[in-house]
Amino acid sequence: MMKRWKKALDAVRGGESKYKILVQAIAADIDNGTLGEGARLPPQREVSQRLGISVQTVTNAYKELEQHGAIRCEVGRGSFVAKRV
């Protein structure tokens, strides 16, 4: 899963926002079922370290996914793929 995210980020061209690319990569994994309903996403710090990007970039991506209803973030518990409606 994170290998696909890393590959997407490595393909970033000038002008493309890393957090938007990460949003698209995570959303694609949700859409294709790689990340099923209720699946826990890796902690933001882990994603940051493994992908070589800032924690703020990951935080922005998770926030956007949450705003669009794709994930739910629970303080102290983690981030999870939201129930599909």
Side-chain angles (χ1 to χ4, degrees), residues 33-63:
T34 300
L35 288 169
E37 181 182 319
R40 184 175 185 175
L41 275 69
Q44 295 173 19
R45 287 185 190 190
E46 180 183 336
V47 174
S48 167
Q49 291 170 348
R50 291 184 57 191
L51 299 182
I53 57 178
S54 74
V55 173
Q56 187 61 50
T57 298
V58 180
T59 299
N60 290 342
Y62 277 31
K63 281 182 183 178

Side-chain angles (χ1 to χ4, degrees), residues 3-23:
K3 287 182 182 181
R4 284 188 298 278
W5 301 354
K6 177 73 172 155
K7 188 175 180 180
L9 286 166
D10 288 345
V12 169
R13 295 173 187 83
E16 288 183 294
S17 172
K18 288 182 183 179
Y19 96 90
K20 289 281 191 184
I21 299 298
L22 184 56
V23 166

